[in-house]
Amino acid sequence: TFPTAQPEGLLTLTAVAVDAAGNTSDATSHGFTIDLTPPETFIESGPDALTRETSATFELRSEGGAVGYECSLDGAAYVACTSPVGYTGLADGEHQLRVRAVDAVGNVDATPATHTWTVDTTPPDTLIVSGPDSPTRAVEASFELAASEPGSTFECSVDGATYVTCTSPALFEGFAEGEHTLTVRAVDAAGNVDDTPAEYTWTVDLT
């Protein structure tokens, strides 16, 4: 052992043997490296900040001679992992992956790389707040729309036509006499679509 701490870097130890009479052996040397610097860890890619995917894959990178990684998902104990690292069966809500690189002599990155994201698989609910009177003589109709999740957008279908993007208030014109139906579905920020669209039926009477 050394009497004092040694600096980081390449060192050489030279030793000779001395007997009781003072005779010395030939010197022998041994070189070695002291490495006290932990590697740096980077998460190169991962899921979007908001996603409806219940699986996630991450590409990892390191600098500083790392030979492996340790990963912690949602605060669990660190376990050995490799790049790419993947997870499945993720529940709705916020998740965080923490990754730290480890080098050949056991130095561990003390500042792990992190990636935080939210899984949202729940579609929003759609509400048609107001629409035209029924019956009405008006050949145009305006609708106030709402969704259970802030930031949602809307898709509208009039009388069974293909859904198109619409906003609130949604204004439609040129209705013929008879019964009409507006169907609206909300789409949240993660891309979930309301599978039980809201409907509003009214009658135009021009006679």
Side-chain angles (χ1 to χ4, degrees):
T1 60
F2 295 100
T4 60
Q6 299 301 305
E8 188 172 24
L10 179 63
L11 301 177
T12 301
L13 175 66
T14 302
V16 294
V18 182
D19 65 16
N23 300 302
T24 59
S25 68
D26 292 336
T28 181
S29 297
H30 178 75
F32 60 98
T33 299
I34 294 179
D35 179 5
L36 304 176
T37 304
E40 290 290 333
T41 316
F42 304 90
I43 298 176
E44 293 286 89
S45 65
D48 293 337
L50 179 63
T51 178
R52 54 182 175 163
E53 298 298 326
T54 59
S55 59
T57 300
F58 301 85
E59 293 286 344
L60 313 178
R61 180 175 67 84
S62 64
E63 295 178 356
V67 295
Y69 300 98
E70 295 177 346
C71 296
S72 167
L73 178 65
D74 296 337
Y78 280 95
V79 295
C81 57
T82 57
S83 181
V85 59
Y87 299 91
T88 59
L90 299 170
D92 274 23
E94 186 176 271
H95 299 276
Q96 185 182 73
L97 177 69
R98 303 175 69 195
V99 184
R100 60 191 187 189
V102 184
D103 68 15
V105 297
N107 293 308
V108 179
D109 188 354
T111 57
T114 62
H115 185 96
T116 302
W117 76 106
T118 299
V119 175
D120 178 6
T121 63
T122 304
D125 291 322
T126 314
L127 179 66
I128 299 175
V129 179
S130 65
D133 295 334
S134 184
T136 179
R137 292 184 296 169
V139 295
E140 69 279 339
S142 179
F143 301 85
E144 292 286 342
L145 312 177
S148 61
E149 293 187 36
S152 295
T153 58
F154 300 98
E155 296 177 345
C156 295
S157 168
V158 177
D159 294 337
T162 301
Y163 280 97
V164 296
T165 300
C166 55
T167 58
S168 181
L171 178 64
F172 302 94
E173 300 177 319
F175 288 105
E177 189 169 33
E179 185 177 88
H180 300 279
T181 299
L182 173 70
T183 305
V184 184
R185 61 189 186 190
V187 183
D188 68 16
N192 297 300
V193 180
D194 186 358
D195 54 4
T196 57
E199 288 190 355
Y200 190 101
T201 299
W202 76 106
T203 299
V204 175
D205 183 359
L206 303 176
T207 302

